[in-house]
Amino acid sequence: MTIQIDETRCIGCGMCAAAAPEVFRIQGSVSKVVGEPAPERRSRVTDAANGCPVNAIDVRG
């Protein structure tokens, strides 16, 4: 699974970090990818990407 965040679009709302804290963390004013999800948590990462209000998260794989 490849996870990328477009930091120029991210507004740091924290929804992704709430959905998958082992993968996303707010640092400064944007979200950062800090880890890989466990296989059973991959759907949470996809949910976070789909729910991002500014479509800043790209998930592949």
Side-chain angles (χ1 to χ4, degrees), residues 5-16 25-32 54 56:
I5 298 174
D6 182 343
E7 293 183 12
T8 64
R9 298 180 92 177
C10 181
I11 58 173
C13 73
M15 191 208 70
C16 57
R25 189 157 301 134
I26 301 299
Q27 294 179 348
S29 61
V30 297
S31 182
K32 301 280 187 178
V54 293

Side-chain angles (χ1 to χ4, degrees), residues 1-2 7-8 15 18 22-25 27 29 31-32 34 38 41 43 47-49 54 56-57 60-61:
M1 175 174 263
T2 302
E7 293 183 12
T8 64
M15 191 208 70
E22 71 279 11
V23 178
F24 302 103
R25 189 157 301 134
Q27 294 179 348
S29 61
S31 182
K32 301 280 187 178
V34 295
R41 300 273 298 164
S43 65
D47 290 345
V54 293
I57 304 170
R60 296 175 192 223

